[in-house]
Amino acid sequence: MAVDNTILSARAVMRDAPVIPVIVLHDVAHAVPMARALVAGGIRMLEVTLRTPQALACIEAIARAVPEAVVGAGTVRSAEDAAAAANAGARFAVSPGYTQAVGEACRANGLPLLPGVATASEIMAAQADGFDALKFFPALQSGGSAMLKAWAGPFGDVLFCPTGGIQPGNAAEFLALANVACVGGSWLVPADALAQGDWARITTLARQASQLKNG
């Protein structure tokens, strides 16, 4: 079932499933079958990173052909990225860090934004601009679950999506935290599965991820 744009928010994106897949696509032909495979496994919030020349075309293909998916743009680093993502049909944005320019551009283009933060000062800067659903990145390198526990006191009103180093073996550790809504992970869409067109494997990985439990 498609999600109504009018009710989509950053928190709605984060609470839809335990994992948001972080997707790197090099071939537009992979975009639609991959998206369908993820949706079949119960994962519909799809972050296609703007790390390849084909990324925007992949977002456009998914937005057009897979209405059950909610495709977003990751690695949004500028106002230009935000505008291009929205024009391609992205319905949310994820950034590795936060700047006011990116925040303003996402609002102007109607994109709920999950801004990346790694320090208390960055959380405060994002909150000052009205963002309280944040991506903790890179999660493992920035203190992992211990850092999120420490932030629960001063930032009890903030919800996080830790991303960076999250795997099936440690996802539950993060999802058990009260201030974590979901995690971001690249393991749902392995490069070899894409290369081989192994959509059944991607569906299986998505189904397993969709069954992870929040604390």
Side-chain angles (χ1 to χ4, degrees):
M1 186 178 75
V3 174
D4 187 344
N5 262 331
T6 61
I7 62 169
L8 193 62
S9 66
R11 289 192 172 224
V13 170
M14 289 169 63
R15 285 178 165 148
D16 197 68
V19 183
I20 295 176
V22 179
I23 303 162
V24 180
L25 291 170
H26 296 274
D27 188 339
V28 178
H30 292 159
V32 169
M34 177 222 62
R36 287 176 175 154
L38 288 167
V39 169
I43 300 292
R44 59 180 181 167
M45 298 291 170
L46 314 183
E47 177 190 340
V48 176
T49 62
L50 301 184
R51 300 180 190 176
T52 70
Q54 299 81 11
L56 290 169
C58 291
I59 289 171
E60 186 173 0
I62 294 168
R64 183 177 62 250
V66 194
E68 310 96 311
V70 181
V71 63
T75 323
V76 172
R77 302 192 304 165
S78 66
E80 292 76 16
D81 284 347
N87 287 337
R91 293 176 59 189
F92 66 93
V94 184
S95 59
Y98 177 70
T99 66
Q100 193 171 60
V102 166
E104 290 175 352
C106 285
R107 282 207 174 99
N109 285 280
L111 294 176
L113 172 65
L114 279 63
V117 299
T119 68
S121 295
E122 291 168 358
I123 294 172
M124 291 170 67
Q127 276 199 292
D129 289 343
F131 297 96
D132 62 4
L134 311 178
K135 169 184 172 179
F136 175 35
F137 177 80
L140 255 59
Q141 297 86 342
S142 301
S145 60
M147 182 65 81
L148 287 163
K149 290 175 186 175
W151 281 343
F155 301 114
D157 54 343
V158 177
L159 206 56
F160 294 97
C161 172
T163 306
I166 312 296
Q167 298 290 338
N170 63 8
E173 170 189 343
F174 287 90
L175 290 168
L177 302 177
N179 58 349
V180 169
C182 66
V183 299
S186 58
W187 82 86
L188 278 70
V189 186
D192 60 340
L194 280 175
Q196 297 161 13
D198 192 349
W199 313 124
R201 180 181 169 201
I202 290 174
T203 294
T204 296
L205 291 168
R207 186 173 294 115
Q208 292 168 348
S210 70
Q211 292 169 355
L212 290 167
K213 301 296 183 184
N214 286 91

